């Protein structure tokens, strides 16, 4: 969710399915009737759903912020999706949860996820042995993920009898920030796990693992970065295998050679066949778009050797989002292709493993004037069902479903029409699964409206394809197709009553009711940048150190903005925190407020007490402001350094004139009569290191070995106090061109204790792109919640 997203609405959500039918003229409609269930059905934002199906048992998980933090919820159906039981909250620890996955096998249900903010990222595993009725306590499988863990889970069907799996072997793999790709296995259904095995030759720049099993064979694929930050940098697809149930793995090798960019590896297997697909990137030159193609390789000898790579899209240069599945000797593949200056389309391809020279059958499934993206599919017998999101800036996104059927030796495509569409809600990111016991198709989608986000479950009788068209007239919105699937509203229920275990979350929110948080606007820094200090700096850029300057000194004094208002990022941050901690008191303060001592409990000016201060880009502060912030922490407050390059230079403040004047820092000093270039860059460098734990990093070219948020270098802090506690290490290095300057250079999000309080430094600079990055926001939320809870518990 973006910082710029509006707040929650407490009004009941419109029955969208009911409106969907009202907007149609359904007289004389011949149609099968199917069901759609609002799985989440609450007042919060429900997002990123995942599900799995075994027989009539359906397990659904999603993230939900009904109680403030984004919790991990679980819901199950034991009657093929006709009804769902009450939700179970699996993640009530007020932490950040990422890349959650769910997998089922007979009575076993497994859930994994990555978690912040502790231990540089953690991998958790939780299981149910009664089909999802109850869950055991979660197990921490590993730390030090760098929030780039992207965990994956697989089970082995080796130990089966009929349709019953006895204590399946469970494999969990993820990225470790120090060792690269890690895998752990359990031989007793997840009751306990063996020690981790390192697969990527201890190369920490190995990411995005994928796993598949076939009997006693375990196959892995991931991407590995070599020579990062140099002209020789390349990103290869790596592969490793085990033929003894994961006890040992043979040495990994690359499926690509000298690849500049490899993305999104996919892997599947069938008996001794292993199939791998990925997106290959070709760099043309600066200023031109990256060309991307879907590449495929396969092995018919359990991964010993692989056939030559082929391009499924024939090197058109605009292919992304591959997905593959195997069925006997055939492999089904889909991808998104956006030709130059055209709309994105969904392609489907069949590859025969006995003749793998390319697609034996390929078709453009969407082939229309709308953009199509995020495809997914499942198959049963001779039928393949493909769903995707369709829409553009003029069209409300909908979910489209098509069926591909094998007729003899030929394939036919049948248009089932948009599976879900409504003018007032966007539907996106479908997932498709087919029941392995009856003739039913299940689709899970996210719905986004102006009020909140919901998770919808569609339960469809697999239709018998004939030549009849269902003609409907849409009163509101564009008729996307002549073939529509309708949904009955009987299962569109009012919000579920949460069970007692979940209700405790609401009670937990009571600890937030006395929390006071202030966001400090950088009013002094804004003034320094407003046609003032930096004109002077650049005017005398080439002056000698110690040389007295007496001209243009007026540029070193500047007035503050009259009646300053928080900018959009500051307002967005306040709204975001208000949604995260609904009962907290959140306000804005200015640099002048801190200068005057408003944050101190025993201040003569204001007796208000703040629990947490969040600084903006406070590059310029007065000595009094600096001292008051330090005293605030010493008294037990929590100071969050949201931006780097804070507390860097000293200014004086004239309350009557409402102006600031440079005093010292930024390689300049000014005594009111003359200014001179100084060796002092950071004004309080030693003191700042002592009580905040870090200083501004004057490094021109930093390489981030761990970059979970896609951060682009801007301004950073580096750790200069050995007593800090690392929360998230970005594995930063400085090029060899600057030897000796940074012997122990570490950029990290960290916690530092100072007397009775704490300083939390993000270490990086949250640009607008970062503030709209959902992974970063989840991480920030987990930090804020952790220290709010700890601080309130200490106070109580």
């Amino acid at each position: 969710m973006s910082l710029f997203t509006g707040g929650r609405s407490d009004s009941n959500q419109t029955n969208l399915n009911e409106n969907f039918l009202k907007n149609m003229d359904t007289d004389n409609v011949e149609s099968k009737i199917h069901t759609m269930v609002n799985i989440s059905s609450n007042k919060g934002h429900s997002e990123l759903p995942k599900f799995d199906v075994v027989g009539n048992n359906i397990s659904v998980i999603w993230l939900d912020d009904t109680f403030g933090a984004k919790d991990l919820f679980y819901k199950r159906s034991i009657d093929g999706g006709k009804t769902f039981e009450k939700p179970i909250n699996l993640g009530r620890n007020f932490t950040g949860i990422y890349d959650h996955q769910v997998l089922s096998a007979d009575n076993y249900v497994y859930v994994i996820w990555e978690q912040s903010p502790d231990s540089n990222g953690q991998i958790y595993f939780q299981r149910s042995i009664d089909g999802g009725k109850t869950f055991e306590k979660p197990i921490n499988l590993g730390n030090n993920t760098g929030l780039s863990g992207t965990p994956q889970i697989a089970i082995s069907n080796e130990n089966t009898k009929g349709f019953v799996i006895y204590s399946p072997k469970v494999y969990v793999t993820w990225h470790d920030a120090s060792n690269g790709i890690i895998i752990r296995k359990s031989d007793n259904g997840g009751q306990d796990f063996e020690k981790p095995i390192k697969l990527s030759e201890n190369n920490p720049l190995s990411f995005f693992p994928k796993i598949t099993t076939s009997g006693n064979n375990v196959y892995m694929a991931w991407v590995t970065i070599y020579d990062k930050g140099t002209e020789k940098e390349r990103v290869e697809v790596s592969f490793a295998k085990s033929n003894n149930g994961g006890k040992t793995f043979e040495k990994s090798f690359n499926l690509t050679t000298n690849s500049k960019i490899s993305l999104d590896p996919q892997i599947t297997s069938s008996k001794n066949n292993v199939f791998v697909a990925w997106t290959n990137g070709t760099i043309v030159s600066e200023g031109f778009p990256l060309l991307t193609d879907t590449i495929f390789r396969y092995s018919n000898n359990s991964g010993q050797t692989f056939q030559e790579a082929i391009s499924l899209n024939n090197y058109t240069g605009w292919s992304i989002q591959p997905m593959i599945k195997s069925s006997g000797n055939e492999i089904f593949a889909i991808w998104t292709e956006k030709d130059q200056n055209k709309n994105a389309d969904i392609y489907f391809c069949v590859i025969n493993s006995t003749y793998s020279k390319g697609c034996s059958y390929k078709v453009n499934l969407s082939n229309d004037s709308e953009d199509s993206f995020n495809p997914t599919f499942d198959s049963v017998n001779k039928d393949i069902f493909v769903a995707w999101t369709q829409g553009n800036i003029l069209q409300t996104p909908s979910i489209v479903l098509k069926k591909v059927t094998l007729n003899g030796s030929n394939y036919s495509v049948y248009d089932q029409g948009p599976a879900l569409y409504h003018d007032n809600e966007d539907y996106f990111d479908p997932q498709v699964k087919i029941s392995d016991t009856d003739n039913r198709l299940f689709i899970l989608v996210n719905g986004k409206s102006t009020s909140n986000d919901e998770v919808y479950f569609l339960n469809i009788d697999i239709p018998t394809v004939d030549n009849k068209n269902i003609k409907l007239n849409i009163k509101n919105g564009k008729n996307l197709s002549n073939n529509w699937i309708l949904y009955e509203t009987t299962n569109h229920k009012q919000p579920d009553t949460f069970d007692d275990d979940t209700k405790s979350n609401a009670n937990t929110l009571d600890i937030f009711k006395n929390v006071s948080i202030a966001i400090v606007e950088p009013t002094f820094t804004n003034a320094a940048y407003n046609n003032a200090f930096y004109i002077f700096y650049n005017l005398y850029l080439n002056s000698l150190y110690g040389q007295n300057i007496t001209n243009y000194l007026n540029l070193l004094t500047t007035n503050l903005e009259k009646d300053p208002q928080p900018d959009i990022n500051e307002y967005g941050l306040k709204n975001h925190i208000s949604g995260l901690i609904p009962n907290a008191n959140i306000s804005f303060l200015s640099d002048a407020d801190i200068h005057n001592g408003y944050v101190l409990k025993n201040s003569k000016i204001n007796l208000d007490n703040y629990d947490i201060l969040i600084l903006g880009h406070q590059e310029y502060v007065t000595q009094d402001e600096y001292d008051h912030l330090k005293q605030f922490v010493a008294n037990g407050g929590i100071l969050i350094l949201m931006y780097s390059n804070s507390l860097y230079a000293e200014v004086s403040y004239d309350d009557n004139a409402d102006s600031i004047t440079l005093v010292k820092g930024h390689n300049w000093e000014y005594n009111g009569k003359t200014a001179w270039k100084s060796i002092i860059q950071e004004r309080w460098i030693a003191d700042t290191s002592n009580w905040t734990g870090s200083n501004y990093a004057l490094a021109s070219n930093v390489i981030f070995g761990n970059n979970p948020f896609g951060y682009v270098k801007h301004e950073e802090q580096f750790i200069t106090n050995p007593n800090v506690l690392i929360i998230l290490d970005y594995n930063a290095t400085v090029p060899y061109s600057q030897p000796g300057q940074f012997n122990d250079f570490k950029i990290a999000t960290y916690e530092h204790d100072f007397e009775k309080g704490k300083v939390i430094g993000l270490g990086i600079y949250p640009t607008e792109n970062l503030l709209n990055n959902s992974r970063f926001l989840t991480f920030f939320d987990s930090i804020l919640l952790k220290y709010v809870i700890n601080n309130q518990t200490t106070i109580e």
Side-chain angles (χ1 to χ4, degrees):
M1 183 173 62
S2 165
L3 284 182
F4 308 109
T5 302
R8 295 173 179 78
S9 170
D10 289 336
S11 61
N12 290 330
Q13 171 134 354
T14 304
N15 191 326
L16 299 173
N17 197 46
E18 200 169 296
N19 288 343
F20 178 68
L21 292 177
K22 286 180 180 179
N23 287 336
M24 297 182 178
D25 178 5
T26 57
D27 293 340
N28 301 318
V29 171
E30 297 181 33
S31 172
K32 287 182 177 289
I33 301 298
H34 313 282
T35 59
M36 181 173 75
V37 181
N38 185 338
I39 294 289
S40 49
S41 193
N42 55 40
K43 296 179 180 180
H45 296 86
S46 303
E47 60 186 19
L48 301 176
K50 305 287 180 64
F51 81 125
D52 199 20
V53 178
V54 174
N56 286 320
N57 296 329
I58 300 168
S59 295
V60 184
I61 60 173
W62 72 94
L63 296 183
D64 197 294
D65 63 1
T66 295
F67 299 113
K70 288 184 180 178
D71 295 329
L72 181 61
F73 279 79
Y74 171 87
K75 213 171 191 182
R76 75 164 185 169
S77 170
I78 58 174
D79 57 9
K82 295 177 182 178
T83 60
F84 280 82
E85 298 176 359
K86 293 180 179 180
I88 299 174
N89 191 342
L90 299 178
R92 295 190 300 118
N93 298 318
F94 295 102
T95 57
I97 294 175
Y98 316 80
D99 300 313
H100 45 290
Q101 308 286 334
V102 61
L103 186 63
S104 304
D106 194 47
N107 283 327
Y108 292 92
V109 180
Y110 303 112
V111 181
I112 60 170
W113 66 90
E114 187 173 8
Q115 183 168 301
S116 68
D118 297 318
S119 304
N120 201 36
Q122 303 168 300
I123 300 297
Y124 274 89
F125 169 91
Q126 195 166 9
R127 74 167 186 169
S128 169
I129 59 174
D130 56 11
K133 183 178 181 180
T134 61
F135 279 82
E136 300 173 349
K137 291 183 178 181
I139 300 173
N140 180 354
L141 293 182
N143 299 322
N144 194 37
T145 66
L147 291 192
S148 298
T150 58
Q152 300 289 309
I153 185 171
I155 59 172
S156 172
N157 57 5
E158 167 201 10
N159 195 17
T160 65
K161 184 177 180 181
F163 289 102
V164 180
I165 300 178
Y166 297 95
S167 297
K169 289 184 178 181
V170 183
Y171 306 92
V172 181
T173 181
W174 67 92
H175 158 83
D176 178 271
S178 300
N179 301 298
I181 304 303
I182 296 290
I183 188 170
R184 293 189 69 177
K185 80 177 182 90
S186 170
D187 288 329
N188 54 15
Q191 182 174 338
D192 50 52
F193 283 80
E194 298 181 5
K195 293 181 179 180
I197 300 175
K198 303 173 185 178
L199 298 181
S200 53
E201 308 299 320
N202 293 326
N203 184 346
L205 299 181
S206 302
F207 302 94
F208 309 113
K210 294 295 172 65
I211 183 171
T212 183
T213 65
S214 180
N216 223 17
N217 298 323
V218 184
Y219 306 110
M220 296 277 302
W222 63 88
V223 296
T224 303
I225 304 176
Y226 300 91
D227 301 317
K228 185 174 178 62
T230 72
E231 293 182 356
K232 297 180 179 180
E233 180 176 322
R234 54 196 174 93
V235 185
E236 311 282 7
V237 175
S238 301
F239 173 84
K241 70 183 181 74
S242 169
N243 299 125
N244 57 13
K247 292 180 181 179
T248 59
F249 280 79
E250 298 181 15
K251 185 177 180 178
S252 64
F253 59 89
N254 292 334
L255 298 179
T256 54
T257 304
N258 295 324
S259 174
K260 298 300 291 184
I261 299 177
S262 300
L263 307 167
D264 200 11
Q266 305 291 313
I267 189 168
T268 187
S269 59
S270 175
K271 297 182 180 179
N272 293 326
N273 297 317
V274 189
F275 312 100
V276 185
W278 65 91
T279 299
N280 177 76
T282 300
I283 300 174
V284 180
S285 62
E286 186 175 353
F288 288 92
L290 180 74
L291 298 180
T292 54
D293 298 285
T294 297
I295 307 300
F296 174 82
R297 292 191 74 176
Y298 100 99
S299 168
N300 58 10
N301 56 10
S302 301
Q304 293 291 339
T305 59
F306 278 79
Q307 303 294 321
E308 291 297 321
I310 59 173
S311 170
L312 298 183
N313 64 314
N314 295 324
Y315 290 106
T316 58
W318 312 99
S319 173
I320 57 174
Q321 298 176 331
M323 179 180 178
I324 56 174
K325 287 189 177 183
S326 58
S327 178
N329 291 327
E330 291 183 315
I331 307 96
F332 305 131
I334 57 173
W335 64 87
T336 301
E337 184 142 343
K338 185 176 178 65
D339 293 344
Q340 60 268 44
N341 305 318
K342 295 181 181 179
N343 293 301
D345 284 315
I346 306 302
Y347 277 79
F348 172 80
C349 163
V350 181
I351 310 162
N352 194 300
S353 61
T354 60
Y355 180 76
S356 59
K357 301 300 181 181
C359 298
S360 59
Y361 173 81
K362 183 166 67 174
V363 62
N364 182 343
L365 291 178
S366 50
N367 197 25
D368 54 30
S369 60
E370 310 293 343
D371 272 329
S372 300
F373 47 93
N374 294 341
T376 183
F377 75 99
D378 201 3
S379 62
V380 59
N381 299 324
K382 299 179 180 181
D383 294 331
I384 303 99
F385 288 88
V386 185
W388 62 87
T389 306
Q390 176 176 286
N392 56 32
I393 58 175
L394 301 176
Q395 177 66 56
T396 301
S398 62
I399 303 301
V400 176
L401 175 68
K402 285 196 178 181
K403 174 181 170 183
V404 182
T405 297
L406 175 63
N407 295 317
S409 59
N410 299 315
Y411 284 88
S412 300
V413 177
Y414 297 92
D415 187 357
Q416 303 305 318
L420 189 59
Y421 168 80
H422 190 274
D423 279 340
N424 297 323
E425 182 163 17
D426 297 344
Y427 297 108
F428 53 95
D429 294 342
Q431 298 169 62
V432 173
K433 292 188 182 295
I434 298 173
S435 171
D436 54 5
T437 59
D438 57 24
N439 202 34
R440 299 202 69 79
L441 172 70
F442 307 120
I443 304 178
L444 191 70
V445 300
N446 233 161
K448 187 180 187 67
S449 67
T450 55
S451 56
N452 63 3
D453 306 338
E454 300 288 3
V455 177
Y456 294 100
F457 179 84
L458 283 64
N459 182 343
I460 303 172
D461 277 319
I462 294 179
T464 302
V465 177
D466 53 29
N467 293 322
K468 295 180 180 179
N469 286 330
I470 303 169
K471 295 184 178 180
L472 303 172
N473 296 318
I474 310 303
K475 295 180 180 178
N476 294 311
K478 179 182 177 182
N479 189 344
L480 298 179
S481 171
N482 287 330
N483 299 321
W484 286 72
I485 294 178
L486 303 184
Y487 302 93
E488 63 183 18
T489 61
T490 55
N491 281 342
H492 240 310
K493 304 171 292 185
Q494 293 297 318
D496 288 306
T497 302
F498 289 100
D499 55 28
D500 292 337
D501 183 54
T502 304
K503 283 182 179 179
S504 63
N505 243 350
N507 297 330
T508 305
L509 289 179
D510 289 341
I511 68 174
F512 297 144
K513 62 185 179 183
N514 296 319
V515 173
S516 292
I517 300 173
I519 300 170
V520 185
E521 301 174 65
T523 49
F524 291 170
T525 301
N526 290 342
Y529 276 86
N530 187 19
N531 292 323
F533 294 5
Y534 287 85
I535 296 178
F536 183 89
Y537 296 160
N538 284 277
L539 181 63
Y540 294 105
L541 184 66
N542 296 320
S543 64
L544 299 176
Y545 283 91
Q547 177 185 349
N548 288 330
I549 307 295
T550 57
N551 295 332
Y552 298 107
L553 296 181
N554 60 300
L555 294 172
L556 297 181
T557 297
T558 181
N559 290 100
L560 274 62
E561 181 184 354
K562 293 183 179 180
D563 191 25
Q565 297 296 315
D567 63 22
I568 188 170
N569 287 340
E570 292 162 346
Y571 269 123
L573 181 61
K574 181 178 184 294
N575 292 336
H576 182 78
I577 297 173
S578 297
L580 181 71
I581 312 174
N583 297 330
N585 174 32
I586 305 169
S587 58
F588 290 109
L589 293 176
S590 68
D591 285 323
D593 294 331
I594 308 297
H595 168 84
N596 290 323
Y598 285 12
V599 298
L600 299 181
K601 187 173 183 180
N602 297 319
S603 167
K604 296 179 181 179
I605 301 173
N606 195 322
L607 297 178
D608 288 346
N609 181 45
Y610 292 91
D611 301 292
I612 296 177
L613 292 182
I614 301 176
L615 294 192
H617 184 200
Q618 259 72 24
E619 183 177 347
Y620 293 88
V621 296
T622 66
Q623 182 68 59
D624 283 344
E625 181 177 11
Y626 184 91
D627 292 340
H628 290 158
L629 290 171
K630 182 178 179 181
Q631 190 62 49
F632 168 77
V633 178
N635 289 350
I638 295 175
L639 180 67
I640 297 180
L641 301 178
M642 189 83 177
Y643 290 79
S644 301
N645 194 25
S646 294
L647 313 179
Y648 193 72
E650 179 187 355
V651 295
S652 62
Y653 174 59
D654 186 331
D655 197 5
N656 293 323
D658 199 25
S659 65
I660 60 168
T661 300
L662 179 69
V663 175
K664 189 181 296 185
H666 258 296
N667 289 116
W668 284 94
E669 294 186 52
Y670 178 45
N671 61 11
K673 297 181 179 180
T674 183
W676 61 95
K677 185 174 283 189
S678 166
I679 62 172
I680 297 175
Q681 296 174 328
E682 186 170 345
R683 170 64 178 89
W684 302 277
I685 187 168
D687 197 15
T688 299
S689 174
N690 177 52
W691 74 274
T692 74
S694 68
N695 293 102
Y696 179 54
L698 287 169
S700 60
N701 188 16
V702 178
I703 299 172
F704 297 96
N706 181 52
N707 195 354
F709 314 126
Y711 176 71
V712 178
K713 177 182 168 29
H714 187 73
E715 293 180 341
E716 294 78 40
Q717 297 283 114
F718 73 105
I719 305 299
T720 53
N721 191 314
N723 297 317
V724 304
L725 174 65
I726 300 296
I727 298 175
L728 178 59
D729 192 342
Y730 298 102
N731 289 355
T733 56
V734 179
Y736 62 86
S737 59
Q738 297 172 293
Q741 295 185 33
F742 305 100
N743 294 323
D744 187 21
F745 189 82
K746 187 179 289 295
I747 294 175
T749 299
Y750 66 91
E751 165 193 332
H752 181 57
D753 292 332
F754 178 69
E755 296 191 16
K756 296 180 181 180
K758 291 181 183 294
V759 174
I760 312 300
L762 293 187
I764 56 179
Y765 194 100
T767 59
E768 185 173 317
N769 286 339
L770 203 62
L771 292 174
N772 285 298
N773 182 291
S774 60
R775 198 174 189 89
F776 171 77
L777 291 177
T778 300
F779 175 61
F780 176 76
D781 293 350
S782 69
I783 291 174
L784 195 60
L785 287 168
K786 174 181 178 178
Y787 295 106
V788 166
I789 292 172
N790 288 349
N791 194 52
Q792 290 302 106
T793 304
T794 301
I795 293 174
E796 292 176 358

